[in-house]
């Protein structure tokens, strides 16, 4: 196994992070565009919901995309993804019918996977000994995009109209062009000479993937309840639409700071310690949020978002460090699990809220949050890698 380069390549890490931002700005367009799409094509809410599903279905292919990335020079997946996402998302206003909309969004979903599955592996390769810092920069790009994207597309439609906003694809084309010249020489040739099956990848990493999957599910209840229903909860409590919108922005902004901070600190204080800190404090402050009143809710919400949304770069760093020289296959499996957990928990949270109300649902979700603590303790330490993890069996397929 090759020794990992110890130098933190700041320029390349920042470039990948900026391209993550540009890419995810485009992939965040669907929700703010739905009112225009529904009006133009006279869609029912069910049909509108299927558009989101069409974009998300390719996430089920993440493990296979990861395996393909491990067997090829995956730099071109990352280089091409911004343009492959920008073009279809910029053409939604020109789609002649519902079927074409579905195709454009399905293509976008594939591109999203092509970028997000191998990108953490590239970040790992260029972060040297500071994987947590690299993942923090990378995830900050994605978190910022979810804040800026809806504003950008709303402004574009306001200026150009829904049928004519397609010129904004230029930014994605430019990003891919810059990525090509800056990353075409980065050493990302496959380091595994023999193919390893997805099943074998799961078997080798089960001591890490199993507790991480449980943590993702537990965290999903807290995250999903806030991301999906926070504005509604604030409206129920205050009847103030402006405060409801501000609350979600406050949560996301706190998450950006948390992502940048906790991932970086995990390089110094350890992945498990920072995960434990985040997933102990997040449910505590979610409880305080439910019982707080007036403007005091916002400082509590800031702390909740800081710790709750900050865990992803730590988990991505762990996946890369415990895989074979940074594995896209392992990241693909983890991303598929995250997608399934996120989709299932939001539906379940909605069902619970229909029966118990949002306040009791938040209390329940914060209680579930504490269940993640034993799984953090089961995570292997950084020095506990098994030699078996790095052996490629002769019968791997």
């Amino acid at each position: 196994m090759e020794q990992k380069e110890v130098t933190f390549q700041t320029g390349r890490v920042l470039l990948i992070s900026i391209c993550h931002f540009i890419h995810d700005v485009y992939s965040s367009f669907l929700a703010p565009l739905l009112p225009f799409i529904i009006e133009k094509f006279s869609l029912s809410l069910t049909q509108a919901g299927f558009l989101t599903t069409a974009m998300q279905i390719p996430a089920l292919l993440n493990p296979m995309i990861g395996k393909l990335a491990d067997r090829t020079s995956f730099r071109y997946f990352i280089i091409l993804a911004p343009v492959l996402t920008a073009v279809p998302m910029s053409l939604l206003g020109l789609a002649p019918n519902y079927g074409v909309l579905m195709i454009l969004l399905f293509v976008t979903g594939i591109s999203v996977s092509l970028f997000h599955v191998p990108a953490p592996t590239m970040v790992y390769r260029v972060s040297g000994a500071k994987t947590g810092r690299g993942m923090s920069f990378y995830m900050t790009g994605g978190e910022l995009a979810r804040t800026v994207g809806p504003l950008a597309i709303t402004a574009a439609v306001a200026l150009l109209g829904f049928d004519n906003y397609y010129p904004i694809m230029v930014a994605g084309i430019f990003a891919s062009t810059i990525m090509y010249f800056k990353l075409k020489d980065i050493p990302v040739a496959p380091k595994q000479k023999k193919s390893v099956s997805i099943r074998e990848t799961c078997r080798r990493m089960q001591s890490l993937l199993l507790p991480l999957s449980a943590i993702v599910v537990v965290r999903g209840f807290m995250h999903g309840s806030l991301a999906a229903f926070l504005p509604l909860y604030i409206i129920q409590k205050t009847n103030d639409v402006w405060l409801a919108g501000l609350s979600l922005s406050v949560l996301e902004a706190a998450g950006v700071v948390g992502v940048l901070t906790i991932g970086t600190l995990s390089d110094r204080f350890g992945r498990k310690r920072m995960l434990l800190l985040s997933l102990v404090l997040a449910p505590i402050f979610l409880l305080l949020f439910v019982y707080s009143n007036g403007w005091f809710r916002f400082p509590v919400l800031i702390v909740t978002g800081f710790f709750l949304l900050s865990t992803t770069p730590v988990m991505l760093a762990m996946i890369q460090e415990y895989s074979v020289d940074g594995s896209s296959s392992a990241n693909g499996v983890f991303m598929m699990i995250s997608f399934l957990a996120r989709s299932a928990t939001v539906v379940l949270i909605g069902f619970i809220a229909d029966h118990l109300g949002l306040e009791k649902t938040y209390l329940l979700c914060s209680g579930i949050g504490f269940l993640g603590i034993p799984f953090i303790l089961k995570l292997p330490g950084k020095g506990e890698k098994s030699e078996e993890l790095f052996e490629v069996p002769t019968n791997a397929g």
Side-chain angles (χ1 to χ4, degrees):
M1 182 179 66
E2 279 185 33
Q3 185 68 32
K4 186 173 183 277
E5 175 64 47
V6 297
T7 303
F8 186 84
Q9 301 176 40
T10 305
R12 283 174 167 170
V13 172
L14 288 176
L15 177 63
I16 298 169
S17 303
I18 291 170
C19 282
H20 187 197
F21 168 78
I22 294 173
H23 175 277
D24 281 18
V25 162
Y26 286 100
S27 64
S28 69
F29 282 180
L30 180 57
L33 285 178
L34 271 181
F36 302 99
I37 293 173
I38 291 171
E39 180 181 0
K40 178 176 179 178
F41 296 100
S42 301
L43 301 183
S44 66
L45 292 180
T46 300
Q47 288 175 309
F50 272 118
L51 293 176
T52 301
T53 301
M55 190 171 168
Q56 293 177 342
I57 283 177
L60 298 174
L61 302 175
N62 283 345
M64 287 170 278
I65 291 173
K67 182 179 179 181
L68 178 63
D70 281 337
R71 298 177 64 182
T72 62
S73 183
F74 61 74
R75 68 169 66 86
Y76 292 107
F77 288 26
I78 299 168
I79 290 171
L80 291 173
V83 67
L84 292 179
T85 297
V87 171
M89 292 304 291
S90 300
L91 295 177
L92 296 180
L94 296 178
N97 54 56
Y98 182 73
V100 173
L101 280 176
M102 294 282 282
I103 292 171
L104 289 173
L105 291 168
F106 185 77
V107 170
T108 298
I110 293 175
S111 179
V112 167
S113 291
L114 288 176
F115 183 86
H116 286 94
V117 171
T121 304
M122 180 176 278
V123 172
Y124 171 75
R125 300 275 179 88
V126 298
S127 295
K130 298 178 180 178
T131 304
R133 178 191 290 181
M135 295 301 174
S136 290
F137 285 12
Y138 168 75
M139 286 305 302
T140 297
E143 293 295 332
L144 284 174
R146 280 187 281 276
T147 303
V148 174
L151 299 176
I153 188 59
T154 301
V157 171
L159 290 172
L160 304 173
F162 179 57
D163 295 332
N164 297 303
Y165 76 87
Y166 58 87
I168 64 172
M169 70 174 69
V170 171
I173 297 171
F174 179 74
S176 287
T177 303
I178 295 298
M179 290 274 280
Y180 172 76
F181 288 107
K182 294 291 186 179
L183 300 180
K184 65 177 181 177
D185 297 322
I186 194 170
V188 292
K191 295 191 175 185
Q192 300 178 52
K193 294 182 179 180
K194 297 183 180 179
S195 173
V196 180
S197 68
I198 295 171
R199 171 187 273 185
E200 186 64 20
T201 298
C202 293
R203 186 189 70 79
R204 294 179 180 192
M205 298 193 64
Q206 64 180 344
S207 62
L208 179 69
L209 283 175
L210 289 178
L212 272 188
S213 299
I215 292 168
V216 165
V217 172
V218 167
R219 174 185 175 274
F221 277 93
M222 295 187 290
H223 186 196
S225 63
L226 288 171
F229 301 108
L230 178 60
L232 179 61
Y233 177 73
I234 295 296
I235 288 175
Q236 289 178 354
K237 288 293 183 179
T238 67
N239 200 32
D240 191 321
V241 176
W242 184 84
L243 284 179
L246 179 62
S247 66
L248 199 54
S249 297
V250 166
L251 181 74
E252 291 292 342
V256 170
V257 179
V259 160
L260 191 57
T261 304
I262 297 297
T264 301
L265 290 178
S266 72
D267 287 329
R268 180 175 180 182
F269 297 105
R271 315 287 183 222
K272 289 176 66 173
R273 287 180 181 176
M274 298 314 297
L275 270 183
L276 184 61
L277 176 68
S278 295
L279 291 179
V280 167
L281 294 180
I284 290 175
F285 278 90
L286 181 56
L287 277 173
L288 289 176
F289 172 73
V290 174
Y291 287 114
S292 59
N293 293 301
W295 282 95
F296 182 67
R297 283 195 182 99
F298 284 90
V300 177
L301 186 63
I302 288 172
V303 180
T304 304
F306 179 92
F307 287 108
L308 180 59
L309 303 182
S310 64
T311 56
T312 303
V314 180
M315 291 189 282
L316 288 176
M318 295 182 79
I319 290 289
Q320 294 303 308
E321 288 173 342
Y322 283 84
S323 61
V324 184
D325 290 317
S327 169
S328 295
S329 293
N331 189 53
V333 171
F334 177 66
M335 286 188 61
M336 184 189 70
I337 293 170
S338 299
F339 163 74
L340 293 174
R342 183 170 61 250
S343 301
T345 53
V346 170
V347 173
L348 185 56
I349 290 165
F351 177 80
I352 294 171
D354 281 336
H355 290 80
L356 299 181
L358 276 175
E359 182 169 306
K360 291 182 178 179
T361 300
Y362 279 132
L363 293 175
L364 177 61
C365 289
S366 64
I368 292 173
F370 289 109
L371 298 179
I373 296 174
F375 294 103
I376 297 174
L377 300 178
K378 287 182 176 293
L379 289 169
K382 189 171 183 179
E384 296 177 26
K385 293 182 184 179
S386 167
E387 287 300 317
E388 173 186 310
L389 203 64
F390 299 102
E391 295 172 0
V392 180
T394 56
N395 62 346

